[in-house]
Amino acid sequence: MTYIGELISIGVAISWTATALLSEFGSKRLGNLTLNVLRMVLTLSFTLALFLTAGDGSWLMDVPTKAMGWMLLSGVVGYVIGDFCLFQCYIIIGSRFGQLFMTLAPLSAALMAWVTLGQQMTMMSIVAMLVTLSGISMSVLGRGEHHKLSLKLPINGALFAIGAAVCQGVGLVLSKIGMDYYEPVVGMPDWLVPFSANFYRCLAGIIGFTLLLYTREGMSPLREAMHDKKGLTVATATTIFGPFVGVGFSLMAVQYTGAGIASTLMATTPIMIILPSYWIFHEKITWRAVIGAFVSVIGISLFFL
């Protein structure tokens, strides 16, 4: 089918919009680490069910060791560190601003690819970075005392958001390296390969988040969450739209179209999330913020020209 990769990428952006809104609500209700442990457990369960339904669960085990290692490392960076920062920024500054900062992820991915894979940085890439940063600045900076520019958001929330974007970009490149070593098991359909790869990312995620939860808060928050029906419903929906469908299909998208095109389309979440944030959380939306979001996405598209 023509443009299948592009259509998948747009679907991923919609999925990530939904998961961002659900994650903001879930993080505030259950806590950052508790929600992430539940997400990882549910994702592993869904993935196992998918493979068993497709035919053979042993496919998950029969992958090259190098591919497995890179995907585990990607899970530590992208899930454990990246999602911890992302969900923490949702609690502090909300999902709309969190997703705006995530437009930095493709840029961090490109810088990581430049360092690890030797991909060249062009003048257009530098221009794209400046345009993206300008869009973010338009949305988060305003006039403070004595008419000086000041950050309209809590500094710790902005730092968590930047950390999340950097980790997502680096995690994507690590996944790409791992997928290059990935030799599909005989008999396994190609469309299952990204889900198999994501299985190992989630495996690293569940170990990392469980250790963090145990050392920081103990296991009582997780036990309490198991009796919270509304919280569990949100965690399940967040899992379906996020690490299961969203991440799985994001890896699939780069199989059918260029990584730049896929990243640009998937990065339109900051635009898609504006109206839902207004309807659900009654956030004040300004034309400055809307224009800033569009400029950021334009910057990403310039990066891949």
Tab-separated table of all heavy atoms in Angstrom, residues 35-49 202 206 231-240 243-244:
chain	number	residue	atom	x	y	z
A	35	LEU	N	2.684	3.801	38.131
A	35	LEU	CA	2.058	3.726	36.818
A	35	LEU	C	2.982	3.066	35.806
A	35	LEU	O	2.547	2.239	34.990
A	35	LEU	CB	1.661	5.129	36.341
A	35	LEU	CG	1.028	5.213	34.950
A	35	LEU	CD1	-0.251	4.387	34.882
A	35	LEU	CD2	0.734	6.663	34.570
A	36	ASN	N	4.262	3.393	35.858
A	36	ASN	CA	5.193	2.822	34.892
A	36	ASN	C	5.416	1.327	35.102
A	36	ASN	O	5.568	0.575	34.131
A	36	ASN	CB	6.530	3.573	34.945
A	36	ASN	CG	6.545	4.780	34.028
A	36	ASN	OD1	6.300	4.657	32.833
A	36	ASN	ND2	6.806	5.954	34.576
A	37	VAL	N	5.439	0.871	36.358
A	37	VAL	CA	5.543	-0.569	36.606
A	37	VAL	C	4.340	-1.296	36.007
A	37	VAL	O	4.478	-2.319	35.331
A	37	VAL	CB	5.650	-0.863	38.117
A	37	VAL	CG1	5.502	-2.369	38.373
A	37	VAL	CG2	6.981	-0.381	38.661
A	38	LEU	N	3.148	-0.746	36.254
A	38	LEU	CA	1.935	-1.362	35.705
A	38	LEU	C	1.965	-1.365	34.183
A	38	LEU	O	1.578	-2.370	33.555
A	38	LEU	CB	0.701	-0.605	36.202
A	38	LEU	CG	0.379	-0.741	37.700
A	38	LEU	CD1	-0.764	0.203	38.089
A	38	LEU	CD2	0.009	-2.179	38.041
A	39	ARG	N	2.411	-0.276	33.572
A	39	ARG	CA	2.484	-0.203	32.113
A	39	ARG	C	3.404	-1.268	31.547
A	39	ARG	O	3.092	-1.925	30.552
A	39	ARG	CB	2.980	1.181	31.674
A	39	ARG	CG	2.000	2.304	31.846
A	39	ARG	CD	2.670	3.647	31.620
A	39	ARG	NE	3.091	3.828	30.247
A	39	ARG	CZ	4.342	4.075	29.873
A	39	ARG	NH1	5.308	4.138	30.762
A	39	ARG	NH2	4.627	4.260	28.596
A	40	MET	N	4.577	-1.450	32.170
A	40	MET	CA	5.527	-2.431	31.667
A	40	MET	C	4.993	-3.856	31.809
A	40	MET	O	5.127	-4.685	30.906
A	40	MET	CB	6.862	-2.296	32.410
A	40	MET	CG	7.598	-0.982	32.183
A	40	MET	SD	8.129	-0.706	30.471
A	40	MET	CE	6.886	0.477	29.917
A	41	VAL	N	4.371	-4.156	32.960
A	41	VAL	CA	3.799	-5.495	33.169
A	41	VAL	C	2.712	-5.767	32.135
A	41	VAL	O	2.663	-6.848	31.529
A	41	VAL	CB	3.232	-5.625	34.594
A	41	VAL	CG1	2.436	-6.919	34.737
A	41	VAL	CG2	4.348	-5.575	35.621
A	42	LEU	N	1.830	-4.812	31.928
A	42	LEU	CA	0.738	-4.992	30.972
A	42	LEU	C	1.265	-5.121	29.543
A	42	LEU	O	0.751	-5.923	28.758
A	42	LEU	CB	-0.246	-3.822	31.078
A	42	LEU	CG	-1.093	-3.787	32.354
A	42	LEU	CD1	-1.813	-2.440	32.477
A	42	LEU	CD2	-2.108	-4.921	32.340
A	43	THR	N	2.295	-4.344	29.212
A	43	THR	CA	2.859	-4.420	27.860
A	43	THR	C	3.460	-5.788	27.591
A	43	THR	O	3.265	-6.374	26.518
A	43	THR	CB	3.934	-3.339	27.653
A	43	THR	OG1	3.364	-2.049	27.879
A	43	THR	CG2	4.486	-3.384	26.230
A	44	LEU	N	4.207	-6.306	28.559
A	44	LEU	CA	4.769	-7.645	28.395
A	44	LEU	C	3.664	-8.680	28.237
A	44	LEU	O	3.764	-9.592	27.408
A	44	LEU	CB	5.642	-7.994	29.602
A	44	LEU	CG	7.012	-7.318	29.690
A	44	LEU	CD1	7.736	-7.755	30.961
A	44	LEU	CD2	7.864	-7.643	28.471
A	45	SER	N	2.593	-8.531	29.011
A	45	SER	CA	1.475	-9.480	28.925
A	45	SER	C	0.797	-9.413	27.561
A	45	SER	O	0.499	-10.448	26.945
A	45	SER	CB	0.452	-9.180	30.030
A	45	SER	OG	1.039	-9.279	31.306
A	46	PHE	N	0.555	-8.188	27.077
A	46	PHE	CA	-0.077	-8.014	25.771
A	46	PHE	C	0.799	-8.587	24.657
A	46	PHE	O	0.310	-9.207	23.710
A	46	PHE	CB	-0.359	-6.535	25.494
A	46	PHE	CG	-1.442	-5.952	26.355
A	46	PHE	CD1	-1.524	-4.579	26.532
A	46	PHE	CD2	-2.371	-6.757	26.983
A	46	PHE	CE1	-2.522	-4.023	27.325
A	46	PHE	CE2	-3.370	-6.225	27.775
A	46	PHE	CZ	-3.448	-4.858	27.945
A	47	THR	N	2.119	-8.354	24.769
A	47	THR	CA	3.033	-8.831	23.734
A	47	THR	C	3.085	-10.357	23.706
A	47	THR	O	3.067	-10.975	22.635
A	47	THR	CB	4.449	-8.271	23.961
A	47	THR	OG1	4.394	-6.844	24.016
A	47	THR	CG2	5.382	-8.679	22.829
A	48	LEU	N	3.133	-10.978	24.888
A	48	LEU	CA	3.117	-12.440	24.951
A	48	LEU	C	1.831	-12.999	24.350
A	48	LEU	O	1.858	-13.976	23.589
A	48	LEU	CB	3.262	-12.898	26.403
A	48	LEU	CG	4.671	-12.807	27.006
A	48	LEU	CD1	4.620	-13.080	28.513
A	48	LEU	CD2	5.621	-13.789	26.319
A	49	ALA	N	0.707	-12.350	24.683
A	49	ALA	CA	-0.580	-12.797	24.140
A	49	ALA	C	-0.609	-12.660	22.620
A	49	ALA	O	-1.128	-13.535	21.911
A	49	ALA	CB	-1.717	-11.987	24.764
A	202	CYS	N	10.817	-3.436	27.000
A	202	CYS	CA	9.903	-3.463	28.149
A	202	CYS	C	10.450	-4.323	29.280
A	202	CYS	O	10.213	-4.024	30.460
A	202	CYS	CB	8.529	-3.969	27.726
A	202	CYS	SG	7.609	-2.812	26.715
A	206	ILE	N	10.615	-2.938	33.023
A	206	ILE	CA	9.961	-3.455	34.230
A	206	ILE	C	10.971	-3.710	35.346
A	206	ILE	O	10.698	-3.433	36.529
A	206	ILE	CB	9.150	-4.730	33.926
A	206	ILE	CG1	8.274	-5.087	35.132
A	206	ILE	CG2	10.038	-5.888	33.548
A	206	ILE	CD1	7.309	-6.218	34.863
A	231	GLY	N	-7.825	3.735	38.493
A	231	GLY	CA	-6.405	3.841	38.184
A	231	GLY	C	-5.931	2.727	37.275
A	231	GLY	O	-5.152	2.944	36.351
A	232	LEU	N	-6.415	1.498	37.539
A	232	LEU	CA	-6.032	0.357	36.704
A	232	LEU	C	-6.569	0.497	35.284
A	232	LEU	O	-5.907	0.111	34.315
A	232	LEU	CB	-6.544	-0.939	37.334
A	232	LEU	CG	-5.836	-1.413	38.607
A	232	LEU	CD1	-6.539	-2.624	39.192
A	232	LEU	CD2	-4.374	-1.732	38.322
A	233	THR	N	-7.778	1.063	35.173
A	233	THR	CA	-8.353	1.286	33.839
A	233	THR	C	-7.500	2.268	33.045
A	233	THR	O	-7.209	2.055	31.862
A	233	THR	CB	-9.788	1.816	33.956
A	233	THR	OG1	-10.594	0.866	34.649
A	233	THR	CG2	-10.385	2.072	32.575
A	234	VAL	N	-7.091	3.350	33.716
A	234	VAL	CA	-6.234	4.348	33.060
A	234	VAL	C	-4.885	3.733	32.695
A	234	VAL	O	-4.361	3.970	31.600
A	234	VAL	CB	-6.044	5.583	33.969
A	234	VAL	CG1	-5.003	6.523	33.388
A	234	VAL	CG2	-7.361	6.314	34.161
A	235	ALA	N	-4.313	2.930	33.598
A	235	ALA	CA	-3.028	2.288	33.326
A	235	ALA	C	-3.127	1.358	32.117
A	235	ALA	O	-2.222	1.307	31.277
A	235	ALA	CB	-2.560	1.510	34.560
A	236	THR	N	-4.238	0.639	32.022
A	236	THR	CA	-4.442	-0.273	30.885
A	236	THR	C	-4.556	0.502	29.578
A	236	THR	O	-3.932	0.147	28.564
A	236	THR	CB	-5.709	-1.123	31.102
A	236	THR	OG1	-5.591	-1.852	32.322
A	236	THR	CG2	-5.900	-2.096	29.947
A	237	ALA	N	-5.362	1.581	29.591
A	237	ALA	CA	-5.518	2.397	28.381
A	237	ALA	C	-4.200	3.053	27.995
A	237	ALA	O	-3.840	3.121	26.802
A	237	ALA	CB	-6.594	3.459	28.616
A	238	THR	N	-3.454	3.531	28.997
A	238	THR	CA	-2.148	4.141	28.733
A	238	THR	C	-1.205	3.136	28.087
A	238	THR	O	-0.441	3.470	27.181
A	238	THR	CB	-1.528	4.662	30.045
A	238	THR	OG1	-2.412	5.582	30.662
A	238	THR	CG2	-0.199	5.353	29.782
A	239	THR	N	-1.267	1.895	28.550
A	239	THR	CA	-0.413	0.838	28.000
A	239	THR	C	-0.771	0.536	26.551
A	239	THR	O	0.105	0.397	25.691
A	239	THR	CB	-0.554	-0.441	28.838
A	239	THR	OG1	-0.205	-0.159	30.193
A	239	THR	CG2	0.346	-1.533	28.299
A	240	ILE	N	-2.061	0.433	26.278
A	240	ILE	CA	-2.500	0.102	24.915
A	240	ILE	C	-2.056	1.174	23.932
A	240	ILE	O	-1.492	0.878	22.869
A	240	ILE	CB	-4.027	-0.071	24.877
A	240	ILE	CG1	-4.439	-1.318	25.679
A	240	ILE	CG2	-4.524	-0.186	23.430
A	240	ILE	CD1	-5.928	-1.479	25.856
A	243	PRO	N	3.205	2.102	25.215
A	243	PRO	CA	4.287	1.158	24.905
A	243	PRO	C	3.880	-0.035	24.051
A	243	PRO	O	4.747	-0.672	23.450
A	243	PRO	CB	4.759	0.688	26.300
A	243	PRO	CG	3.627	0.992	27.206
A	243	PRO	CD	2.944	2.200	26.651
A	244	PHE	N	2.585	-0.360	23.969
A	244	PHE	CA	2.180	-1.515	23.148
A	244	PHE	C	1.926	-1.088	21.709
A	244	PHE	O	2.668	-1.421	20.788
A	244	PHE	CB	0.941	-2.186	23.737
A	244	PHE	CG	0.529	-3.430	23.007
A	244	PHE	CD1	1.392	-4.508	22.916
A	244	PHE	CD2	-0.715	-3.529	22.405
A	244	PHE	CE1	1.026	-5.664	22.234
A	244	PHE	CE2	-1.098	-4.679	21.725
A	244	PHE	CZ	-0.225	-5.745	21.642
